[in-house]
Amino acid sequence: MKITGTFLDEISHDIPHQNWGRAEWDADFSHMKAVGIDTVILIRSGYKRWLTYPSDVLRKQENCYTPPVDLVKMYLELADKHDMKFYFGLYDSGKYWWNGDFQQEIDLNKKVIDEVWAKYGHYKSFRGWYLTQEISGRTGKVSGLYAQLGRHCKDISGNLPTFISPWIDGKKAVMAASSVLTKQDSITIQEHEKAWNEIFDAIKGSVDAVAFQDGHVEIYELPDFFEVNKKLADKYGMQCWTNSESFDRDMPIKFFPIKFEKLKLKLDAARKAGYDKAITFEFSHFMSPQSAYLQAGHLYDRYKEYIRSFK
């Protein structure tokens, strides 16, 4: 199974910034295109006070900083140039929804959606929306946020597709800043299925695709979770994607590019489960030949050999 999409992690809180300019991003889009990536997803347009574009809404309402470069405009121009689809990731306040104030997160993001569509909706590569707030089956109350924001995105943009990328609350679902790699308390297959059946029922019609992150459970557990995910997505008329993490959660230093064998096993599991698309978090840090991590370029080479074997 080929990776055909990647997140763009320009607003992050746990991965070092690479300080790229337009030339480096243009080169990276070329590297992506060379291995069949046709979709780029801005993982979030802002986080707390950090922004990817000069939002009047967020600078006024949240006192956000003015970015030196309009990255959304740059990404859309590069996506146009390289004939890729661009999905816009919404704003994460880092506080309202975390504190249970879902309506304030929703109301703020509706203003962002309106602003962004008016400002950038004319680009041919603007092809969808990413609902950036990440949850597991144990944080299902955010399903109302997905339902409202997904519907607003679709209504304003002529029904462009929306998707989410939740996580499975498995053994590896520990905070990035934690000193441990695993935890004792993890969700069962049955609990996962029950929780996501309820969530999918609440968001049907507002969310078109679900891309579960694949790194929070052991690789040998993936087939069972993938089977449930695909069954539920089919039941509620959603596409089932995999977010195949290209970084390694098993290393004591967080986070380095993943061992190729692990990536291959995860992609093979998604293929066997009949998934519709594979995306990754994320190409530029963990798979790019020009990444700050030397290992990423080697992973790129191994991945190229892997996809050539399909022919």
Side-chain angles (χ1 to χ4, degrees):
M1 190 168 191
K2 294 182 181 180
I3 295 169
T4 57
T6 180
F7 283 103
L8 303 173
D9 187 41
E10 192 54 32
I11 296 288
S12 180
H13 52 88
D14 53 15
I15 299 174
H17 205 283
Q18 299 195 107
N19 291 303
W20 287 355
R22 189 183 185 96
E24 290 87 359
W25 279 112
D26 194 1
D28 223 47
F29 275 53
S30 293
H31 292 312
M32 296 174 195
K33 191 76 174 179
V35 290
I37 290 176
D38 60 21
T39 306
V40 290
I41 307 122
L42 185 64
I43 194 164
R44 53 186 69 86
S45 54
Y47 179 65
K48 296 183 177 178
R49 293 195 177 197
W50 301 101
L51 296 177
T52 56
Y53 76 103
S55 167
D56 292 335
V57 169
L58 294 170
R59 287 184 294 178
K60 180 179 180 180
Q61 191 163 332
E62 297 298 312
N63 276 329
C64 291
Y65 304 124
T66 300
V69 176
D70 186 338
L71 291 169
V72 172
K73 180 175 181 289
M74 184 190 72
Y75 288 146
L76 282 161
E77 289 172 350
L78 291 177
D80 280 0
K81 175 182 176 180
H82 294 275
D83 194 24
M84 292 182 176
K85 302 171 186 175
F86 174 86
Y87 279 66
F88 180 86
L90 303 188
Y91 174 71
D92 183 347
S93 70
K95 56 184 178 182
Y96 299 128
W97 71 288
W98 284 100
N99 297 329
D101 191 353
F102 296 111
Q103 196 57 52
Q104 189 153 353
E105 190 89 6
I106 291 166
D107 293 342
L108 183 58
N109 265 288
K110 283 183 176 180
K111 294 178 184 177
V112 169
I113 293 163
D114 293 347
E115 177 183 58
V116 164
W117 186 248
K119 193 176 180 70
Y120 306 108
H122 63 281
Y123 284 91
K124 70 175 184 178
S125 56
F126 198 129
R127 301 290 291 277
W129 306 87
Y130 173 58
L131 311 184
T132 192
Q133 288 76 10
E134 297 177 7
I135 68 168
S136 77
R138 296 183 177 181
T139 47
K141 290 182 179 179
V142 82
S143 58
L145 179 148
Y146 285 163
Q148 289 193 51
L149 291 181
R151 177 47 54 195
H152 191 72
C153 286
K154 294 172 75 65
D155 286 346
I156 200 171
S157 63
N159 208 39
L160 286 183
T162 62
F163 87 97
I164 60 175
S165 186
W167 42 281
I168 301 167
D169 198 13
K171 296 176 182 178
K172 300 182 189 180
V174 298
M175 297 296 290
S178 171
S179 62
V180 299
L181 298 178
T182 60
K183 63 180 184 177
Q184 294 298 317
D185 180 30
S186 62
I187 201 166
T188 66
I189 289 283
Q190 294 76 21
E191 290 170 333
H192 176 78
E193 182 170 6
K194 181 178 184 297
W196 281 97
N197 185 62
E198 294 172 358
I199 295 170
F200 280 13
D201 187 51
I203 65 176
K204 62 181 183 293
S206 297
V207 175
D208 297 292
V210 57
F212 279 97
Q213 300 167 34
D214 71 356
H216 293 94
V217 300
E218 298 290 355
I219 290 174
Y220 64 81
E221 297 177 291
L222 283 176
D224 290 336
F225 280 100
F226 280 3
E227 181 182 355
V228 167
N229 295 343
K230 185 66 166 68
K231 180 175 69 173
L232 290 175
D234 288 348
K235 176 181 177 181
Y236 289 100
M238 299 179 193
Q239 285 204 333
C240 193
W241 301 357
T242 185
N243 178 0
S244 196
E245 294 177 343
S246 41
F247 65 93
D248 202 331
R249 290 187 181 272
D250 300 330
M251 298 294 293
I253 302 174
K254 303 170 184 176
F255 296 103
F256 284 150
I258 199 168
K259 180 181 180 180
F260 169 70
E261 181 183 2
K262 295 179 181 179
L263 181 64
K264 178 182 181 299
L265 285 170
K266 295 192 298 180
L267 289 171
D268 287 347
R271 174 183 56 80
K272 290 174 183 175
Y275 273 31
D276 299 296
K277 186 178 180 73
I279 63 175
T280 188
F281 183 88
E282 52 76 67
F283 180 90
S284 297
H285 278 94
F286 304 117
M287 291 186 71
S288 171
Q290 60 178 4
S291 166
Y293 299 119
L294 182 64
Q295 308 97 312
H298 298 314
L299 179 58
Y300 184 77
D301 291 338
R302 301 294 79 73
Y303 179 73
K304 283 196 297 183
E305 293 167 356
Y306 168 67
I307 61 176
R308 279 204 290 275
S309 70
F310 296 160
K311 298 176 181 178

